[in-house]
Amino acid sequence: MGKAKDIAFYITVCCIAFITSKIIISILLYKRWKRKHLVYEDGFSGGKMVLFKSAIMQQPLSSDVLLKKTLKLSNKDIIGSGGYGTVYRLNINDSVAFAVKRLNRGSAERDRGFERELEAMGDIKHRNIVTLHGYYTAPHYNLLIYELMPNGSLDAVLHGRSMEKKDLDWGSRYRIALGAARGISYLHHDCIPHIIHRDIKSSNILLDQKMEARVSDFGLATLMEPDKTHVSTFPAGTFGYLAPEYFDTGKATAKGDVYSFGVVLLELLTGKKPTDEAFFEEGTKLVTWVKAVVEDKREVHALDSRLKCAPTDEINNAFRIAFMCLEPEPSMRPSMAEIVKMLEQVKSDNL
């Protein structure tokens, strides 16, 4: 009987010690989280704003002013929109501005898109990925507060209205391609768990004040543990950029992002949008047409007419890298880390 009581006593002590340690760890983790975040409650609308502490957030920003300006955003502040939300410009003062993405609630998929962006973006700090500064949650909508990219998207620069278009020389396009590749490579190889973007396209590659590329929009992103090769999911993304195997298998892989990047690289080289049927020849897709033209040694016919005095050898190497990314068989495509190395070799000065 005495032995049974001793065993019971030891078990009780162990259970109490285990629970106590869990509570202490939870408190320490919460305190660490609080040190990295600024939390503002909005009693009026029942919302909560969370800001990640960073250099820009160290400036004297009043929580009341930030909340009031955020809640007063209207149609006149819209700078972009898409299937997963509307983006507003939020001006705090003459020197501080943000891009705010509004995601209306009401469906599981919309809420999941918000959660995906938080999961993927919460701790990422990389020069070629748009910085997430915080978020706001309310009963009927969620807001994501991003770093503002003053030069808009690559899509707008290449194909937008005349006021948005810019004449990008080869050097600028090369730097954009290399920057985007570095950002995607970071997601694939340096993040734990790895991040598969699933919607790489020119409208999701934003340009900062120096025309450097920043990968954005993680509403379709999925996380993948290092020991896995794919994640089973429903087909998502933009037609024209999606890898062909995605429609057959429904499996998201890093090589699917590689294919999408290859389409963007072709877009930079040809100036043509892969989702626009006006640029298809005799019913064939842009990728098929460009391959045929380049293989026939007629690259000049596929090259964007706005690219003047571009070095032939560098252009041909860029086409070669794009076609490697666009291999029909996923296993034949290089990894994003390998693509970065190949692009760095295109120019000897590694712009």
Side-chain angles (χ1 to χ4, degrees):
M1 180 66 71
K3 190 173 182 180
K5 286 184 178 180
D6 289 342
I7 293 173
F9 174 76
Y10 288 131
I11 291 174
T12 302
V13 170
C14 289
C15 289
I16 293 173
F18 177 76
I19 293 171
T20 303
S21 66
K22 287 294 185 184
I23 292 173
I24 293 173
I25 291 172
S26 297
I27 292 172
L28 291 174
L29 288 174
Y30 177 72
K31 286 184 175 180
R32 180 185 176 189
W33 184 88
K34 287 283 287 183
R35 286 197 302 270
K36 294 173 65 178
H37 301 76
L38 304 170
V39 182
Y40 305 130
E41 300 286 346
D42 172 26
F44 178 74
S45 67
K48 180 177 73 173
M49 177 174 284
V50 176
L51 300 177
F52 306 142
K53 290 182 179 178
S54 63
I56 192 171
M57 291 304 176
Q58 297 308 314
Q59 299 185 35
L61 297 179
S62 163
S63 59
D64 290 338
V65 170
L66 194 60
L67 274 171
K68 287 177 181 177
K69 285 182 175 287
T70 300
L71 297 176
K72 286 183 178 179
L73 290 171
S74 63
N75 289 344
K76 66 180 178 60
D77 301 307
I78 293 176
I79 56 175
S81 61
Y84 277 81
T86 303
V87 182
Y88 301 81
R89 181 188 179 100
L90 173 62
N91 291 313
I92 302 300
N93 52 45
D94 291 339
S95 60
V96 178
F98 300 101
V100 177
K101 181 192 285 188
R102 177 184 173 121
L103 301 167
N104 291 328
R105 305 184 72 169
S107 72
E109 182 54 31
R110 284 178 178 176
D111 289 345
R112 184 67 189 125
F114 172 72
E115 292 168 6
R116 285 192 194 102
E117 295 222 30
L118 285 185
E119 288 174 354
M121 298 294 293
D123 293 319
I124 288 182
K125 295 291 183 291
H126 190 275
R127 63 177 291 184
N128 296 116
I129 297 175
V130 173
T131 300
L132 178 66
H133 285 300
Y135 60 91
Y136 178 85
T137 60
H140 302 294
Y141 62 90
N142 295 312
L143 302 178
L144 291 160
I145 304 169
Y146 279 103
E147 175 183 16
L148 180 68
M149 294 289 102
N151 282 308
S153 71
L154 176 60
D155 177 75
V157 168
L158 289 176
H159 317 294
R161 295 168 301 193
S162 57
M163 65 181 68
E164 297 173 315
K165 282 187 178 180
K166 294 180 176 61
D167 287 331
L168 296 177
D169 59 15
W170 167 237
S172 298
R173 299 189 195 210
Y174 168 77
R175 284 190 295 272
I176 290 170
L178 180 56
R182 284 172 173 162
I184 302 168
S185 178
Y186 177 81
L187 298 175
H188 286 187
H189 304 288
D190 298 317
C191 292
I192 302 295
H194 302 324
I195 298 173
I196 302 174
H197 190 283
R198 293 205 302 161
D199 199 21
I200 299 295
K201 57 183 178 181
S202 58
S203 59
N204 286 340
I205 296 174
L206 305 185
L207 304 170
D208 65 14
Q209 66 275 12
K210 296 180 180 179
M211 296 299 286
E212 293 283 343
R214 305 286 192 95
V215 179
S216 73
D217 201 334
F218 288 74
L220 292 178
T222 187
L223 309 183
M224 187 172 71
E225 295 299 333
D227 59 339
K228 292 186 177 180
T229 59
H230 67 271
V231 177
S232 296
T233 180
F234 63 92
T238 303
F239 182 78
Y241 294 89
L242 285 175
E245 73 274 5
Y246 198 35
F247 297 100
D248 299 327
T249 65
K251 294 177 179 178
T253 69
K255 293 300 182 73
D257 280 357
V258 169
Y259 184 94
S260 301
F261 174 78
V263 178
V264 172
L265 185 51
L266 274 194
E267 202 170 343
L268 280 163
L269 289 163
T270 65
K272 296 177 171 59
K273 194 168 185 176
T275 54
D276 190 342
E277 291 186 2
F279 294 119
F280 293 2
E281 278 204 354
E282 298 177 0
T284 60
K285 294 179 182 178
L286 173 66
V287 171
T288 307
W289 173 67
V290 174
K291 275 188 175 182
V293 171
V294 173
E295 286 172 359
D296 200 30
K297 307 296 183 183
R298 296 185 296 120
E299 294 89 346
V300 66
H301 295 285
L303 198 63
D304 189 344
S305 60
R306 293 171 290 182
L307 275 176
K308 296 179 172 48
C309 303
T312 303
D313 56 339
E314 294 180 7
I315 292 294
N316 288 341
N317 282 332
F319 270 123
R320 179 180 57 83
I321 295 169
F323 295 148
M324 292 173 68
C325 297
L326 296 167
E327 281 286 345
E329 174 55 46
S331 63
M332 298 296 292
R333 298 172 202 153
S335 68
M336 285 306 306
E338 291 169 333
I339 292 165
V340 169
K341 290 180 180 178
M342 288 188 287
L343 283 171
E344 288 174 342
Q345 293 170 357
V346 167
K347 280 184 175 287
S348 58
D349 55 357
N350 292 340
L351 291 176

